[in-house]
Amino acid sequence: MSRIAALAGNNYFILFLLFFGWILAYLDRMVISVALTSIGSDLHLEASSLGIVLSSFFAGYALMQIPGGWLADKYGSKRIMIVALIMWSLFTAMTGLAWSLMSLLAIRFLFGIGESGFPAASSKAIAEYFPKAGRAKAQSAMLSSNAFGAALAPLFAAPMMIWLGWRKMFVMIALVGFILAVVYAIFLRKPVQRGDDSAKPSEQSMSLKDLLQTPTMWKLVVAWFGLDVVLWGFASWLPSYLLKVRNLDLLQAGYVASLPFFAGGIAMLLGGWLVDRYFAGREKYFAIVVQIAGVIFLYLMFTTKGLESAILYQILSAFFLYAGFAGIWSLPVKILPTEVMGSASGMINFGGQVAGFVSPMVMGFLITAFNGSYDAAFWFLILSAVISIIACMTLGNTQKSLQTRVAG
């Protein structure tokens, strides 16, 4: 018992649990991208229908982002994360039981609702367990799981599909989620109120209504929407692109599709450190520069003829785009009080999940409309990145803007 208590009192062990929870969340939602070709073949679905399937998860996920953040603020991060783990694991298992397009749409929509409380609750947990001075690095470390989870999904899914088939693969992954829910129940302790987090009077008056009426928050929502369109489109369709356009086999595509996201995970860890050390108060400039670099390499990726150069460019594109992830998400954990961290995270992530709904579906329709060509779909991603860059350019002094709005 004393060893359990010691682990529960260790913030970095808690960060590891949050990181692993995010890894599992990304595995559960991203392995379907690797299974997409097999699912389409078994259920007789074309690219446009499969794009809707990918987007149906994000419809439910986006719908509950702001309510999920409010619930995390009201009931605490631990309860919401455990409920989310149980719910998304249940619908992961049910994905393997789908028998038609409509059943798959319903299951993935409910999957999104079930998982929706986890992002805001985990960001609130960072605010609950870490002092303000260490939150940006802790948040970047936790959210680097987004890239690492996307990297592990094809490496894990491809051999599992060959061994078990796509249906049993989903059931096996679901079992891990149920086990992790038990681990969370045992090891996540009640957070202690921190002296450095005792809010000023103006901060204590901040509410969800204040956040919804603050233009700066909506600029962050748009910035995250634009970037996440790129990240979700990239993650959702890259395995199929490698299979159909670059003519790789399933194992090769799984391996190559994982490389950009390993690079992205490293970029997020590095980005969190760079933002804290060199871009404090200038986070928007960091996000702008790295996104411009990411867009350039994305263009080079789908226009180059050589396979080796395409792989190199996709790795470099993901590296810079995921660094932008760290730049945007460093802002809320630095400047907002713990009391509204769940609501603020839910609000910003709402933009990202609307992007997750729009991106795979639009790309699927564009691929179908252009007779299997992915070029128009990638141009759509570039346009979305430009929207994010413009939104970042409009950001002023974010902290001053928020404090002025609340004080007023």
Side-chain angles (χ1 to χ4, degrees):
M1 291 298 293
S2 60
R3 182 170 295 181
I4 291 176
L7 285 172
N10 187 316
N11 284 359
Y12 290 97
F13 178 70
I14 290 172
L15 180 60
F16 169 76
L17 290 181
L18 297 176
F19 177 88
F20 189 77
W22 269 99
I23 287 282
L24 183 61
Y26 261 69
L27 279 173
D28 284 5
R29 74 177 82 161
M30 292 309 302
V31 291
I32 194 171
S33 296
V34 181
L36 211 57
T37 301
S38 297
I39 292 172
S41 177
D42 286 356
L43 300 182
H44 309 291
L45 304 176
E46 60 182 14
S48 56
S49 296
L50 292 171
I52 297 172
V53 168
L54 292 173
S55 292
S56 63
F57 166 86
F58 296 100
Y61 198 52
L63 183 67
M64 290 297 292
Q65 281 303 303
I66 295 176
W70 178 81
L71 288 170
D73 286 334
K74 185 173 178 64
Y75 296 106
S77 60
K78 177 178 177 177
R79 291 179 183 177
I80 302 304
M81 287 191 292
I82 291 173
V83 170
L85 261 168
I86 293 170
M87 293 297 293
W88 95 55
S89 298
L90 174 63
F91 288 108
T92 297
M94 291 184 67
T95 301
L97 305 177
W99 62 92
S100 66
L101 174 61
M102 293 309 298
S103 67
L104 196 54
L105 289 173
I107 290 166
R108 299 300 290 185
F109 177 77
L110 294 172
F111 185 161
I113 290 177
E115 191 176 314
S116 61
F118 191 83
S122 61
S123 289
K124 184 174 180 67
I126 292 293
E128 288 176 334
Y129 293 117
F130 286 82
K132 280 193 174 181
R135 286 179 190 171
K137 284 183 282 190
Q139 179 85 336
S140 292
M142 179 181 75
L143 293 182
S144 69
S145 58
N146 286 224
F148 288 126
L152 290 171
L155 290 179
F156 180 85
M160 282 283 284
M161 281 178 56
I162 292 171
W163 177 37
L164 295 173
W166 67 270
R167 293 184 181 275
K168 291 181 181 178
M169 175 189 69
F170 282 107
V171 176
M172 291 294 290
I173 297 172
L175 294 176
V176 180
F178 290 124
I179 294 170
L180 186 61
V182 175
V183 173
Y184 272 35
I186 295 171
F187 286 100
L188 289 183
R189 56 179 166 78
K190 183 177 180 180
V192 178
Q193 178 67 37
R194 296 181 175 277
D196 67 345
D197 199 43
S198 54
K200 298 175 183 177
S202 65
E203 289 181 328
Q204 287 194 348
S205 66
M206 186 178 283
S207 65
L208 175 58
K209 181 180 178 182
D210 292 316
L211 294 172
L212 290 170
Q213 293 178 347
T214 303
T216 299
M217 286 298 299
W218 287 106
K219 291 175 183 178
L220 288 171
V221 170
V222 173
W224 184 229
F225 167 82
L227 178 56
D228 225 17
V229 165
V230 186
L231 298 180
W232 278 119
F234 203 72
S236 297
W237 284 101
L238 183 60
S240 295
Y241 170 76
L242 292 170
L243 284 167
K244 294 186 176 182
V245 178
R246 296 297 176 177
N247 299 313
L248 302 182
D249 63 34
L250 182 60
L251 284 176
Q252 288 173 330
Y255 170 70
V256 173
S258 72
L259 298 178
F261 301 106
F262 279 120
I266 294 168
M268 288 185 68
L269 293 172
L270 180 61
W273 178 79
L274 288 172
V275 166
D276 267 353
R277 188 170 181 87
Y278 297 109
F279 290 89
R282 298 176 295 169
E283 292 86 356
K284 74 171 188 178
Y285 298 109
F286 178 83
I288 290 167
V289 170
V290 295
Q291 285 191 80
I292 290 172
V295 165
I296 292 171
F297 286 116
L298 177 59
Y299 170 77
L300 291 173
M301 181 202 82
F302 73 89
T303 56
T304 187
K305 299 297 183 184
L307 175 61
E308 293 81 4
S309 56
I311 293 171
L312 174 62
Y313 292 142
Q314 75 184 29
I315 291 170
L316 290 172
S317 178
F319 180 88
F320 286 106
L321 291 170
Y322 273 98
F325 193 134
I328 292 172
W329 273 99
S330 67
L331 289 165
V333 293
K334 281 186 173 184
I335 63 180
L336 293 172
T338 304
E339 288 78 7
V340 293
M341 189 60 62
S343 298
S345 298
M347 183 176 169
I348 297 170
N349 208 35
F350 170 77
Q353 304 322 313
V354 171
F357 172 76
V358 169
S359 186
M361 182 171 58
V362 171
M363 288 186 73
F365 279 115
L366 288 172
I367 292 164
T368 298
F370 286 86
N371 300 315
S373 171
Y374 282 66
D375 288 3
F378 286 128
W379 274 113
F380 164 68
L381 298 188
I382 289 174
L383 175 62
S384 300
V386 171
I387 291 172
S388 178
I389 291 166
I390 293 172
C392 288
M393 288 177 176
T394 66
L395 289 169
N397 186 325
T398 308
Q399 184 168 6
K400 181 179 180 181
S401 174
L402 287 170
Q403 290 176 343
T404 301
R405 172 67 188 87
V406 175

